[in-house]
Coordinates of all heavy atoms in Angstrom, one line a residue:
I1 N 96.5 96.9 96.7 CA 97.8 97.3 96.3 C 98.5 98.2 97.3 O 99.7 98.2 97.4 CB 97.9 97.8 94.9 CG1 97.0 99.0 94.7 CG2 97.6 96.7 93.9 CD1 97.1 99.7 93.3
W2 N 97.7 99.0 98.0 CA 98.3 100.0 99.0 C 98.7 99.3 100.2 O 99.6 99.7 100.9 CB 97.3 101.1 99.2 CG 97.5 102.2 98.2 CD1 96.8 102.3 97.0 CD2 98.5 103.2 98.2 NE1 97.3 103.4 96.3 CE2 98.4 103.9 97.0 CE3 99.5 103.5 99.1 CZ2 99.2 105.0 96.7 CZ3 100.4 104.6 98.7 CH2 100.2 105.3 97.6
D3 N 98.0 98.2 100.6 CA 98.4 97.4 101.7 C 99.8 96.8 101.4 O 100.7 96.8 102.3 CB 97.4 96.3 102.0 CG 96.1 96.8 102.5 OD1 96.0 97.4 103.5 OD2 95.1 96.5 101.8
T4 N 100.0 96.4 100.2 CA 101.3 95.8 99.8 C 102.4 96.9 99.7 O 103.5 96.8 100.3 CB 101.2 95.1 98.5 OG1 100.2 94.1 98.6 CG2 102.5 94.5 98.0
Y5 N 102.0 98.0 99.0 CA 103.0 99.0 98.7 C 103.5 99.7 100.0 O 104.7 100.0 100.1 CB 102.4 100.0 97.8 CG 103.3 101.1 97.3 CD1 104.2 100.9 96.3 CD2 103.1 102.4 97.8 CE1 105.0 101.9 95.9 CE2 103.9 103.5 97.3 CZ 104.9 103.2 96.4 OH 105.7 104.2 95.9
S6 N 102.6 99.9 100.9 CA 102.9 100.7 102.2 C 103.9 99.9 103.0 O 104.5 100.4 103.9 CB 101.7 101.0 102.9 OG 101.0 99.8 103.4
R7 N 104.1 98.6 102.7 CA 105.0 97.8 103.5 C 106.4 97.6 102.9 O 107.2 97.0 103.4 CB 104.3 96.4 103.8 CG 103.3 96.5 104.9 CD 102.4 95.3 104.9 NE 101.5 95.3 106.0 CZ 100.4 96.1 106.2 NH1 100.1 97.0 105.2 NH2 99.7 96.1 107.3
V8 N 106.5 98.3 101.7 CA 107.9 98.3 101.1 C 108.7 99.3 101.8 O 108.3 100.5 101.7 CB 107.7 98.5 99.6 CG1 109.1 98.6 98.9 CG2 106.9 97.4 98.9
P9 N 109.8 99.0 102.3 CA 110.6 100.0 103.0 C 111.0 101.2 102.1 O 111.4 101.0 101.0 CB 111.9 99.3 103.5 CG 111.5 97.8 103.5 CD 110.4 97.7 102.5
G10 N 110.8 102.4 102.7 CA 111.1 103.6 102.0 C 110.1 104.2 101.1 O 110.3 105.3 100.5
K11 N 109.0 103.5 100.9 CA 108.0 104.0 99.9 C 107.1 105.1 100.6 O 106.5 105.9 99.9 CB 107.1 102.8 99.4 CG 107.9 101.9 98.5 CD 108.4 102.5 97.3 CE 109.1 101.5 96.3 NZ 109.6 102.2 95.1
I12 N 106.8 104.9 101.9 CA 105.9 105.9 102.5 C 106.8 106.8 103.4 O 107.6 106.3 104.2 CB 104.9 105.2 103.4 CG1 104.1 104.1 102.6 CG2 103.9 106.2 104.0 CD1 103.4 104.7 101.3
L13 N 106.6 108.1 103.3 CA 107.4 109.1 104.0 C 107.6 108.8 105.5 O 108.8 108.9 106.0 CB 106.9 110.5 103.8 CG 107.7 111.6 104.3 CD1 109.0 111.7 103.6 CD2 107.0 113.0 104.2
D14 N 106.6 108.5 106.2 CA 106.7 108.2 107.6 C 106.6 106.8 108.0 O 106.5 106.4 109.2 CB 105.7 109.0 108.4 CG 104.2 108.7 108.0 OD1 104.0 107.8 107.2 OD2 103.3 109.4 108.5
G15 N 106.7 105.9 107.0 CA 106.7 104.4 107.2 C 105.4 103.8 107.7 O 105.4 102.7 108.2
T16 N 104.3 104.5 107.5 CA 103.0 104.0 108.0 C 102.2 103.4 106.9 O 102.6 103.3 105.8 CB 102.2 105.2 108.6 OG1 102.0 106.2 107.6 CG2 103.0 105.9 109.8
S17 N 101.0 102.9 107.3 CA 100.1 102.3 106.4 C 98.7 102.8 106.7 O 98.5 103.5 107.7 CB 100.1 100.8 106.5 OG 99.5 100.3 107.7
G18 N 97.7 102.4 105.9 CA 96.3 102.7 106.1 C 95.6 101.7 107.0 O 94.3 101.6 106.9
D19 N 96.3 100.8 107.7 CA 95.7 99.7 108.5 C 94.6 100.3 109.4 O 93.6 99.7 109.6 CB 96.7 99.0 109.2 CG 97.5 98.0 108.4 OD1 97.3 98.0 107.2 OD2 98.4 97.3 108.9
V20 N 95.0 101.4 110.1 CA 94.0 102.0 111.0 C 93.4 103.3 110.5 O 92.2 103.5 110.6 CB 94.8 102.3 112.3 CG1 93.9 103.1 113.3 CG2 95.3 101.1 113.0
A21 N 94.2 104.1 109.8 CA 93.8 105.3 109.2 C 93.0 106.2 110.2 O 93.4 106.4 111.3 CB 93.0 105.1 107.9
C22 N 91.7 106.6 109.9 CA 90.9 107.3 110.8 C 89.9 106.4 111.5 O 89.0 107.0 112.3 CB 90.2 108.5 110.1 SG 91.3 109.6 109.2
G23 N 89.9 105.1 111.2 CA 89.0 104.2 111.9 C 87.5 104.4 111.6 O 86.6 104.1 112.4
L24 N 87.2 105.0 110.4 CA 85.8 105.3 110.1 C 85.0 104.0 110.0 O 83.8 104.0 110.3 CB 85.7 106.0 108.7 CG 84.3 106.2 108.2 CD1 84.0 107.7 108.1 CD2 84.0 105.5 106.9
Y25 N 85.6 102.9 109.7 CA 84.9 101.6 109.6 C 84.1 101.3 110.9 O 83.0 100.8 110.8 CB 85.8 100.5 109.2 CG 85.1 99.1 109.0 CD1 84.5 98.9 107.7 CD2 85.0 98.2 110.0 CE1 83.9 97.7 107.5 CE2 84.4 96.9 109.7 CZ 83.8 96.7 108.5 OH 83.2 95.5 108.2
H26 N 84.7 101.6 112.0 CA 84.0 101.4 113.3 C 83.4 102.7 113.9 O 82.7 102.6 114.9 CB 85.0 100.8 114.3 CG 85.6 99.5 113.9 ND1 84.7 98.4 113.8 CD2 86.8 99.1 113.5 CE1 85.5 97.3 113.4 NE2 86.7 97.7 113.2
R27 N 83.7 103.9 113.3 CA 83.2 105.1 113.8 C 82.3 105.8 112.9 O 82.0 107.0 113.0 CB 84.4 106.1 114.1 CG 85.3 105.6 115.2 CD 86.6 106.4 115.2 NE 87.5 106.1 116.3 CZ 87.6 106.7 117.5 NH1 86.8 107.7 117.7 NH2 88.4 106.3 118.4
W28 N 81.7 105.1 111.9 CA 81.0 105.7 110.8 C 79.8 106.5 111.3 O 79.5 107.6 110.8 CB 80.5 104.6 109.8 CG 79.6 103.6 110.4 CD1 79.9 102.4 110.9 CD2 78.2 103.7 110.4 NE1 78.8 101.8 111.3 CE2 77.7 102.5 111.0 CE3 77.2 104.7 110.0 CZ2 76.3 102.3 111.3 CZ3 75.9 104.5 110.2 CH2 75.4 103.3 110.9
A29 N 79.1 106.0 112.3 CA 77.9 106.7 112.8 C 78.3 108.1 113.4 O 77.6 109.1 113.0 CB 77.2 105.9 113.8
S30 N 79.3 108.2 114.2 CA 79.7 109.4 114.8 C 80.3 110.4 113.8 O 80.1 111.6 113.9 CB 80.6 109.2 116.0 OG 81.8 108.5 115.6
D31 N 81.0 109.8 112.8 CA 81.5 110.7 111.7 C 80.4 111.2 110.8 O 80.5 112.4 110.4 CB 82.6 109.9 110.9 CG 83.9 109.7 111.7 OD1 84.2 110.5 112.6 OD2 84.7 108.8 111.4
L32 N 79.4 110.5 110.6 CA 78.3 111.0 109.9 C 77.6 112.1 110.7 O 77.1 113.1 110.1 CB 77.3 109.9 109.5 CG 77.7 109.0 108.4 CD1 76.7 107.9 108.2 CD2 77.9 109.7 107.0
D33 N 77.5 111.9 112.0 CA 76.9 112.9 112.9 C 77.7 114.2 112.7 O 77.2 115.3 112.7 CB 76.9 112.5 114.3 CG 75.9 111.4 114.6 OD1 74.9 111.3 113.8 OD2 76.0 110.7 115.6

């Protein structure tokens, strides 16, 4: 629902989404370190 909601104009203060966020999905090992 946040993928959908974040694409509604005016709902997110800076117009962004969590598509990239902090990239933990691909950086999980170094973030656990």
Side-chain angles (χ1 to χ4, degrees):
I1 54 175
W2 275 94
D3 295 299
T4 302
Y5 184 75
S6 64
R7 284 163 172 76
V8 178
K11 293 298 185 182
I12 308 301
L13 184 63
D14 59 7
T16 58
S17 73
D19 284 5
V20 176
C22 303
L24 176 120
Y25 186 80
H26 296 295
R27 296 169 175 262
W28 63 269
S30 58
D31 284 337
L32 287 176
D33 288 340

